């Protein structure tokens, strides 16, 4: 097997991601999906295995900005704060403040995953959405409040009730697809749903996007795919990334 090397002087862009320590999805998928010449670099924030609001807030407050400081030493062109749930449980106003703090401290485009999701849904013209996640009931309830406050109507939803933050990455593509089906069916009149949303950056939701879009004819936004989309565009990389839905190919 030949070695892979990247010349930092000729690389197109370095993308920075700040991750909860339990995340096993973002680095492998982002690294495989990015266009040639784009690289992905990470810092990590410790997150307890027990996925609670308290654990998420503690991670944010104790390690979030430290993670950004560490990451900026490799001079990324854009930075994403890759935890959907931490913003969800603290609310839309908090998310706005965090986006501002990240941008100010980084000095380059920097944003939260929830900020990327909201921007993606707006780019797609979506207002009425079917939402699903691997989260517990408490975090799922907070998610409804968050996206409703952001101006979206939740037409239907479903969640898996996973309370172990490491195990959020366990669901297979078939299990994620079945979860989405529940949220879609709960929407009732699916013809009035503008888009589907699958949240959590520690779940391989990107693997079902194309299948769902082909089946429904409606766009799909996921935490993983929307965050990568925003990172690439913020870094000035406008290449289409094939295989993960209309957001990454058309916008």
């Amino acid at each position: 097997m030949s070695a892979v090397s990247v010349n930092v002087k000729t690389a197109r862009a370095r993308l920075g991601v700040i991750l909860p320590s339990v995340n096993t999805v973002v680095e492998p998928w982002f690294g495989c999906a990015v266009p040639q010449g784009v690289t992905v670099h990470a810092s990590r924030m410790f997150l307890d295995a027990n996925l609670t609001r308290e654990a998420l807030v503690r991670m944010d407050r104790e390690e979030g900005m430290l993670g950004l400081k560490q990451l900026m030493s490799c001079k990324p062109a854009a930075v994403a704060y890759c935890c959907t749930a931490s913003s969800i449980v603290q609310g839309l106003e908090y998310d706005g403040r965090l986006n501002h703090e990240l941008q100010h401290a980084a000095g380059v485009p920097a944003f939260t995953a929830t900020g990327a999701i909201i921007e993606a849904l707006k780019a797609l013209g979506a207002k009425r959405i079917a939402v699903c996640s691997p989260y517990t009931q408490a975090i799922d309830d907070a998610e409804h409040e968050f996206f409703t406050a952001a101006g979206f109507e939740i037409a239907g939803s479903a969640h898996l009730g996973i309370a172990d933050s490491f195990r959020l990455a366990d669901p297979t593509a078939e299990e994620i697809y079945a979860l989405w089906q529940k949220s879609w069916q709960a929407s009732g009149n699916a013809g009035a749903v503008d888009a589907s949303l699958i949240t959590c950056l520690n779940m391989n939701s990107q693997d079902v996007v194309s299948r769902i879009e082909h089946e429904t004819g409606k766009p799909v936004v996921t935490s993983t795919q929307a965050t990568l989309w925003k990172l690439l565009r913020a870094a000035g990389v406008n290449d289409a990334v094939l295989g993960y839905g209309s957001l990454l190919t058309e916008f």
Side-chain angles (χ1 to χ4, degrees):
M1 181 182 294
S2 61
V4 176
S5 61
V6 177
N7 187 325
V8 296
K9 292 183 179 180
T10 59
R12 295 176 64 191
R14 287 183 294 277
L15 308 181
V17 292
I18 307 169
L19 300 173
S21 56
V22 296
N23 190 293
T24 58
V25 170
V26 166
E27 288 167 294
W29 181 61
F30 279 26
C32 290
V34 291
Q36 186 172 5
V38 178
T39 55
V40 180
H41 308 271
S43 64
R44 287 181 175 257
M45 310 171 287
F46 180 75
L47 177 62
D48 294 342
N50 188 21
L51 187 65
T52 64
R53 182 186 190 281
E54 292 73 23
L56 290 161
V57 171
R58 185 165 56 248
M59 177 193 74
D60 265 10
R61 305 293 164 82
E62 295 180 0
E63 303 202 22
M65 298 311 289
L66 176 60
L68 176 63
K69 181 179 179 180
Q70 293 171 343
L71 185 61
M72 293 313 298
S73 64
C74 77
K75 302 187 185 304
V79 173
Y81 192 88
C82 292
C83 185
T84 317
S86 62
S87 285
I88 283 171
V89 299
Q90 296 181 80
L92 187 65
E93 183 177 347
Y94 169 80
D95 185 64
R97 291 198 306 271
L98 180 56
N99 272 285
H100 177 76
E101 290 170 5
L102 290 167
Q103 178 74 43
H104 178 74
V108 299
F111 55 90
T112 62
T114 40
I117 290 169
I118 290 169
E119 186 171 333
L121 288 168
K122 289 181 177 179
L124 292 164
K127 294 184 178 180
R128 193 167 190 263
I129 56 177
V131 183
C132 60
S133 80
Y135 300 135
T136 61
Q137 182 70 60
I139 296 178
D140 187 67
D141 289 343
E143 180 167 80
H144 287 206
E145 293 179 14
F146 184 93
F147 286 108
T148 299
F152 302 98
E153 180 186 348
I154 310 298
S157 68
H159 66 281
L160 291 174
I162 298 175
D164 182 330
S165 54
F166 179 76
R167 296 298 174 190
L168 294 169
D170 282 358
T172 65
E174 284 303 316
E175 289 169 336
I176 297 168
Y177 177 78
L179 174 67
W180 164 79
Q181 280 187 313
K182 291 181 181 179
S183 69
W184 187 256
Q185 291 164 0
S187 301
N189 180 12
V193 175
D194 300 318
S196 295
L197 171 61
I198 309 175
T199 57
C200 185
L201 275 146
N202 199 24
M203 187 170 74
N204 284 294
S205 52
Q206 70 280 347
D207 293 342
V208 300
V209 172
S210 291
R211 177 181 179 182
I212 295 171
E213 288 196 350
H214 178 74
E215 180 176 322
T216 65
K218 300 291 181 69
V220 177
V221 172
T222 79
S223 290
T224 51
Q225 160 238 44
T227 303
L228 179 60
W229 167 76
K230 175 65 176 173
L231 263 177
L232 289 169
R233 302 305 180 252
V237 179
N238 295 313
D239 304 40
V241 178
L242 304 179
Y244 304 102
S246 56
L247 180 65
L248 277 166
T249 57
E250 300 175 16
F251 293 86

